Amino acid sequence: MTTTSTAQSGAPDLWHHYGRARADTDRGVPGAFHWVWAQAGGPGVEVLGDVTGLVVADLGAGAARHAAYLVARHAPARVDAIDASPAQHTMARDLYGHLAPCLRTVHADATAHLNAHPAEYDVIYSVFGSLDFADPRRLLLAAAHALRPGGLLAASTLGHYLGGAPAEPDVQHADIPARTPDGATTTMRRWVLQETVWTKLLDESGFTKISIDRLPPAGPGARAADTLLVRAYRQS
Ligand SMILES: C[S@@+](CC[C@H](N)C(=O)[O-])C[C@H]1O[C@@H](n2cnc3c(N)ncnc32)[C@H](O)[C@@H]1O
């Protein structure tokens, strides 16, 4: 399959375990595109508009299920499924290698990749991906750089911390629990920001027509959470 690798890090892969059990049993292309935390219901692929013939990037694509859905059902020119985790990159190649070359798995830090590809993409999206886990000040500037003028950025991110604590009123990350590949406990950075903070960041990064919708969970549950669905366009 078409795949590129530019990620260089000696740090342990804190996404080694994520989605591993599912990949053993669920190898199909999903039948729908979901933005919300529960990955069921809510707005779907229409949020991206018509992607026929467009060049698209998924930031923090994980196993590339969303990217595979787009490629299999919506005829983009190409979807680059970008992920910094060696484990996630390998899983994506294993699951959806048959969708190359339209689906291209890219093993890279999202910010670095976007900075290296000016005006490459018509659409950039992220589903609880690198927008949540990379410094948004740098990532959003890079996303504006990598979008063609007028291009769309769409992303889902948490509306509050899991457990209910409110989102941050400033550009401030939290250190959340994580596990190394050998099971040791550690932390990783996550940015959970209020709508006004995202709006200001997007505005300062060169985006316009910014909208943010808060999507509450369909029902209660220990891991139910509000989703913020962010949409913005690169200034022309
Ligand atoms: C919660 S998972 C979401 C994966 C996928 N979007 C999904 O919905 O299943 C977050 C993903 O973001 C990736 N990620 C985190 N920081 C990243 C960065 N700076 N560059 C690229 N990928 C990153 C992780 O490796 C992980 O696969």
Side-chain angles (χ1 to χ4, degrees):
M1 114 175 265
T2 308
T3 180
T4 63
S5 180
T6 57
Q8 290 174 341
S9 165
D13 182 359
L14 302 185
W15 294 96
H16 175 87
H17 304 282
Y18 181 78
R20 192 164 285 275
R22 180 179 176 188
D24 287 340
T25 54
D26 180 4
R27 301 183 58 84
V29 174
F33 187 116
H34 297 292
W35 294 94
V36 294
W37 180 249
Q39 285 296 288
V45 71
E46 70 280 357
V47 167
L48 296 176
D50 182 1
V51 298
T52 307
L54 300 187
V55 179
V56 180
D58 181 334
L59 308 183
R65 294 183 189 276
H66 296 87
Y69 166 81
L70 280 186
V71 165
R73 300 181 199 274
H74 291 277
R78 194 180 86 229
V79 179
D80 288 352
I82 302 159
D83 207 286
S85 155
Q88 296 301 318
H89 176 67
T90 300
M91 204 181 295
R93 288 172 58 190
D94 176 42
L95 288 173
Y96 301 118
H98 59 285
L99 296 177
C102 192
L103 175 61
R104 191 169 69 137
T105 56
V106 179
H107 183 212
D109 170 73
T111 305
H113 176 86
L114 295 173
N115 278 329
H117 293 83
E120 173 91 2
Y121 297 106
D122 301 294
V123 173
I124 293 177
Y125 72 88
S126 180
V127 181
F128 300 102
S130 46
L131 201 73
D132 295 35
F133 299 100
D135 188 327
R137 289 163 290 217
R138 294 203 293 272
L139 182 63
L140 291 177
L141 279 172
H145 179 69
L147 274 171
R148 301 204 174 114
L152 169 67
L153 173 70
S156 53
T157 184
L158 285 175
H160 52 76
Y161 287 101
L162 298 175
E168 304 289 345
D170 297 301
V171 187
Q172 173 65 50
H173 71 268
D175 294 315
I176 63 162
R179 270 192 307 150
T180 64
D182 62 8
T185 56
T186 184
T187 60
M188 69 168 98
R189 291 183 171 188
R190 180 164 210 159
W191 279 263
V192 179
L193 309 178
Q194 293 180 2
E195 288 99 316
T196 51
V197 183
W198 285 117
T199 301
K200 186 164 183 284
L201 277 172
L202 286 157
D203 181 56
E204 291 170 353
S205 303
F207 288 93
T208 184
K209 294 191 279 177
I210 300 162
S211 68
I212 303 183
D213 296 314
R214 178 174 288 268
L215 308 172
R223 286 181 60 82
D226 287 2
T227 298
L228 297 186
L229 180 55
V230 176
R231 274 170 276 195
Y233 295 83
R234 187 194 150 178
Q235 284 169 7
S236 300

